[in-house]
Amino acid sequence: MKVRHFVIVLLLVSNITFSSGFLDVFVAAASVVYTYFERDDLLPFDSKRLEEDLRENFFGQHIASNVIRRAVSSFMTDSKPNKPLALSFHGTSGTGKNHAAKIIARNVYEKGEDSKHVHTFISEHHFPHKQKLDLYSAQLKQWIHESVSRFPRSMFIFDEMDKMHPQLIDAIKPFLDYNARVDGVSFRKAIFVFLSNAGGDVITGVTLDFWREGNIRENLWMDSKELEIKISQNIFNDKNSGFLHSNIIDEHLVDHYIPFLPLELKHVRQCVMVEMVHLNVTQDSDLADEVARDMPYFPKEERIYAVKGCKSVRQKLAQHID
């Protein structure tokens, strides 16, 4: 109806008259154009493309890869979802949480993370002053509401969620609810991704114990050590976490708490190989091994997991090249 009204007004302003039949054809054509612009930058979703992207560019995270693939594919192919997709990524720094969010974005939008429909908020950068929480909350609500009203398939990434004040987390809550419609706008097609270091120590401890028991890393799944339950309990019991005082957990509005495991040397080596491509350096497995081994690892005796994951890999590679 909006298109029809727009066209009629346009014709009246232009002092143009058409027969009813021609007007219907014209309105139909305009509707196609309107729909095209509404879908601007939105890729036709392909679950196989997402699966391949995760397999080729997301290292050492078989649990996260599996949950992300299933959750995003199910959501994107559901013509009538009953709530927005809400994913919470948990793990220590450098394990690939930001990278995973970017992979989702580039499989939903033509411009990936650079799409105007992908909105990233960093807690300590965008909301630095506690005395301005009322202002931040109002601005955040307005930003989310206006973004989705313009483009229903908007994506919101909240980094450093563990440092976010509960008042700001509760500002997001209305948009995450089942059959969410806020001030006449439906949020059921929006995507929310929360990135957090909360639960990172629990995940690392479970992974290390699993290794010390002589188990293969890839045999560790969400239910094998009640990993998801342990993550949610850790978040809920963390007095420093904004989640503790927020209603988001209580009302079960997060669809998946996804663990990002600490990375091993072989995964860091894979990251180095990818960075060689980005730096236009001929891929060299020996050099990749040298760079990977030069990174710090823990525990001190076994040196199993990379302290910084794949962070600083590009800088370390650049030093070796120089």
Side-chain angles (χ1 to χ4, degrees), residues 186-243:
S186 172
F187 289 81
R188 290 190 294 268
K189 291 188 176 181
I191 300 172
F192 292 81
V193 180
F194 306 126
L195 314 181
S196 174
N197 288 344
D201 291 341
V202 170
I203 295 166
T204 296
V206 169
T207 311
L208 185 57
D209 288 344
F210 201 72
W211 177 82
R212 283 173 172 163
E213 291 169 4
N215 297 308
I216 299 174
R217 177 191 181 93
E218 285 70 24
N219 287 338
L220 177 61
W221 290 99
M222 293 289 274
D223 57 350
S224 56
K225 289 286 184 177
E226 297 182 332
L227 199 48
E228 187 169 20
I229 295 175
K230 288 181 179 179
I231 294 171
S232 58
Q233 287 178 341
N234 180 265
I235 296 168
F236 191 78
N237 292 324
D238 186 353
K239 295 181 180 180
N240 297 318
S241 174
F243 269 128

Side-chain angles (χ1 to χ4, degrees), residues 36-99:
Y36 173 79
F37 284 108
E38 280 290 287
R39 291 177 56 84
D40 173 46
D41 194 31
L42 192 63
L43 285 172
F45 184 73
D46 185 341
S47 59
K48 290 185 177 179
R49 182 182 64 232
L50 173 61
E51 182 178 6
E52 182 178 350
D53 198 347
L54 288 167
R55 183 174 60 252
E56 294 182 356
N57 299 292
F58 190 39
F59 309 125
Q61 302 297 354
H62 64 284
I63 298 177
S65 182
N66 181 63
V67 178
I68 290 171
R69 177 182 60 81
R70 291 175 179 272
V72 174
S73 296
S74 176
F75 180 73
M76 291 298 296
T77 54
D78 186 347
S79 60
K80 294 182 179 180
N82 65 348
K83 71 179 295 294
L85 178 63
L87 303 176
S88 193
F89 296 171
H90 298 268
T92 53
S93 180
T95 50
K97 299 184 296 293
N98 271 289
H99 185 53

Side-chain angles (χ1 to χ4, degrees), residues 56-304:
E56 294 182 356
N57 299 292
F58 190 39
F59 309 125
Q61 302 297 354
H62 64 284
I63 298 177
S65 182
N66 181 63
V67 178
I68 290 171
R69 177 182 60 81
R70 291 175 179 272
V72 174
S73 296
S74 176
F75 180 73
M76 291 298 296
T77 54
D78 186 347
S79 60
K80 294 182 179 180
N82 65 348
K83 71 179 295 294
L85 178 63
L87 303 176
S88 193
F89 296 171
H90 298 268
T92 53
S93 180
T95 50
K97 299 184 296 293
N98 271 289
H99 185 53
K102 292 176 182 179
I103 289 177
I104 294 174
R106 69 182 181 224
N107 279 275
V108 174
Y109 309 97
E110 289 183 357
K111 296 180 181 178
E113 63 180 300
D114 295 325
S115 169
K116 61 184 178 181
H117 307 303
V118 177
H119 312 277
T120 301
F121 300 92
I122 303 172
S123 179
E124 293 189 336
H125 173 70
H126 291 98
F127 318 113
H129 307 295
K130 290 185 178 181
Q131 64 271 26
K132 295 183 178 181
L133 285 173
D134 290 340
L135 174 62
Y136 293 153
S137 296
Q139 291 176 334
L140 184 57
K141 287 180 179 178
Q142 182 179 4
W143 184 271
I144 295 175
H145 191 276
E146 289 183 356
S147 298
V148 175
S149 65
R150 288 194 303 266
F151 199 82
R153 189 69 84 182
S154 293
M155 180 175 178
F156 303 91
I157 302 170
F158 291 86
D159 201 356
E160 299 180 347
M161 194 70 176
D162 49 314
K163 300 176 183 177
M164 198 165 178
H165 194 278
Q167 182 176 334
L168 293 173
I169 298 176
D170 280 339
I172 305 169
K173 177 187 169 294
F175 307 113
L176 300 178
D177 219 333
Y178 288 84
N179 297 307
R181 184 175 285 274
V182 181
D183 295 331
V185 176
S186 172
F187 289 81
R188 290 190 294 268
K189 291 188 176 181
I191 300 172
F192 292 81
V193 180
F194 306 126
L195 314 181
S196 174
N197 288 344
D201 291 341
V202 170
I203 295 166
T204 296
V206 169
T207 311
L208 185 57
D209 288 344
F210 201 72
W211 177 82
R212 283 173 172 163
E213 291 169 4
N215 297 308
I216 299 174
R217 177 191 181 93
E218 285 70 24
N219 287 338
L220 177 61
W221 290 99
M222 293 289 274
D223 57 350
S224 56
K225 289 286 184 177
E226 297 182 332
L227 199 48
E228 187 169 20
I229 295 175
K230 288 181 179 179
I231 294 171
S232 58
Q233 287 178 341
N234 180 265
I235 296 168
F236 191 78
N237 292 324
D238 186 353
K239 295 181 180 180
N240 297 318
S241 174
F243 269 128
L244 173 62
H245 306 285
S246 167
N247 292 320
I248 286 182
I249 290 182
D250 286 345
E251 299 189 20
H252 308 290
L253 298 181
V254 173
D255 299 302
H256 301 280
Y257 295 97
I258 306 177
F260 283 64
L261 309 182
L263 299 180
E264 299 176 5
L265 184 144
K266 61 182 179 183
H267 307 126
V268 177
R269 185 188 293 114
Q270 288 176 293
C271 291
V272 177
M273 294 292 283
V274 170
E275 291 299 340
M276 287 177 176
V277 175
H278 291 160
L279 294 177
N280 294 317
V281 175
T282 301
Q283 287 187 314
D284 184 332
S285 58
D286 291 335
L287 177 58
D289 188 66
E290 182 181 341
V291 173
R293 291 185 181 281
D294 199 25
M295 301 288 283
Y297 292 85
F298 73 96
K300 186 176 181 180
E301 297 76 18
E302 295 100 333
R303 298 187 79 247
I304 302 300

